[in-house]
């Protein structure tokens, strides 16, 4: 078996470490609204409080601060729900339809909101699940979580910009549950640079190994 020099081994190790990071979508998922707000710039909230209760068009065109986007469902349309005094929620009219948030203005790199399940009367249901799929130019990330609360926040930030969020309601006990959302937050590029991660430290370590090996090789005839 041919021998592999330490220098070549160092470069191979770095390439293997980088390969998964290059292939996968760089989407970060947040379960804390506070952490999400800290990760984006110019955040703005669409509370949907101007939406009428009852049947709505299949696609809504929305503006939130400096950002624009669309919310859509299937051919059955959207449905406005009274979440409380002065508070409107947005739901699919048909329980099996997905809600799709997309059509973002070019500055949007983070999208979040409250994603939950409701019954036919618009009441949040316990022990029900919500699936949200976030997509960017490199791929998608899917998460499934407990959607029992109208305050179940999830946020997504992409290094290349979020292209769409798709959500649906999943009932483990075969109930009819409707996907519902409120307080959608849009944000721009992170306002601060991310802290060095383990990959950066690995690269620095491998660089040190390369320099050490080169120093020991000196003028010898060892091939790299």
């Amino acid at each position: 078996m041919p021998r592999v020099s330490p220098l070549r081994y160092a470069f191979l190790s770095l390439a293997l470490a980088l390969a998964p990071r290059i292939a996968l979508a760089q989407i970060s998922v947040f379960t804390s609204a506070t952490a999400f707000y800290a990760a984006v710039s110019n955040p703005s909230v669409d509370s949907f409080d101007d939406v009428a209760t009852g049947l709505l068009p299949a696609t809504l065109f929305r503006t939130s601060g400096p950002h624009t986007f669309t919310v859509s469902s299937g051919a059955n349309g959207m449905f406005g729900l009274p979440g409380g005094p002065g508070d409107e929620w947005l739901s699919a009219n048909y329980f099996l339809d997905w809600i799709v948030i997309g059509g973002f203005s070019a500055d949007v790199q983070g999208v979040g909101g409250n994603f939950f399940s409701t019954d036919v009367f618009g009441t949040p249901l316990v022990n029900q699940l919500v699936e949200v799929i976030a997509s960017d130019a490199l791929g998608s990330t899917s998460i499934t979580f407990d959607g029992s609360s109208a305050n179940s926040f999830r946020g997504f930030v992409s290094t290349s910009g979020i292209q769409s969020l798709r959500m649906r309601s999943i009932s483990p006990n075969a109930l009819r549950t409707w996907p519902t959302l409120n307080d959608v937050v849009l944000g721009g590029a992170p306002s601060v640079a991310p802290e060095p991660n383990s990959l950066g430290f690995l690269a620095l370590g491998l660089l040190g190994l390369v320099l050490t090996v080169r120093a020991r090789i000196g003028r010898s005839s060892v091939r790299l």
Side-chain angles (χ1 to χ4, degrees):
M1 177 180 295
R3 298 179 62 185
V4 179
S5 71
L7 182 57
R8 181 170 294 178
Y9 180 80
F11 281 118
L12 288 174
S13 298
L14 180 58
L16 290 173
L18 286 172
R21 302 301 184 98
I22 295 173
L24 295 178
Q26 296 295 301
I27 299 177
S28 300
V29 181
F30 296 82
T31 58
S32 163
T34 301
F36 174 82
Y37 273 84
V40 298
S41 61
N42 288 328
S44 59
V45 182
D46 188 348
S47 61
F48 304 115
D49 291 344
D50 62 321
V51 171
T53 298
L55 185 62
L56 299 168
T59 300
L60 303 179
F61 297 88
R62 307 293 298 173
T63 298
S64 179
H67 315 297
T68 58
F69 68 105
T70 62
V71 186
S72 60
S73 190
N76 298 288
M78 306 288 297
F79 200 91
L81 295 172
D87 186 22
E88 284 289 321
W89 299 342
L90 200 57
S91 184
N93 186 42
Y94 181 51
F95 75 104
L96 290 179
D97 283 344
W98 291 72
I99 294 178
V100 181
I101 310 173
F104 302 111
S105 49
D107 56 326
V108 174
Q109 286 195 305
V111 184
N114 296 330
F115 305 93
F116 50 103
S117 296
T118 55
D119 63 15
V120 68
F121 302 108
T123 303
L125 290 169
V126 299
N127 301 322
Q128 305 303 309
L129 301 176
V130 166
E131 180 183 14
V132 179
I133 302 175
S135 300
D136 66 3
L138 300 177
S140 61
T141 295
S142 174
I143 61 170
T144 302
F145 54 94
D146 180 12
S148 303
S149 170
N151 296 315
S152 53
F153 179 88
R154 292 297 186 276
F156 306 84
V157 176
S158 168
T159 55
S160 61
I162 295 292
Q163 293 185 338
S164 68
L165 289 187
R166 300 172 63 233
M167 72 163 295
R168 66 169 177 163
S169 181
I170 304 173
S171 177
N173 42 11
L175 295 176
R176 286 197 171 198
T177 60
W178 280 256
T180 307
L181 58 87
N182 192 30
D183 294 339
V184 168
V185 188
L186 307 180
S191 55
V192 295
E195 296 180 1
N197 56 23
S198 57
L199 184 59
F201 289 120
L202 173 62
L204 289 175
L206 290 174
L207 178 60
L209 174 61
V210 169
L211 294 176
T212 301
V213 171
R214 290 185 67 90
R216 289 183 178 180
I217 291 175
R219 298 180 179 178
S220 69
S221 59
V222 177
R223 296 183 64 190
L224 299 179

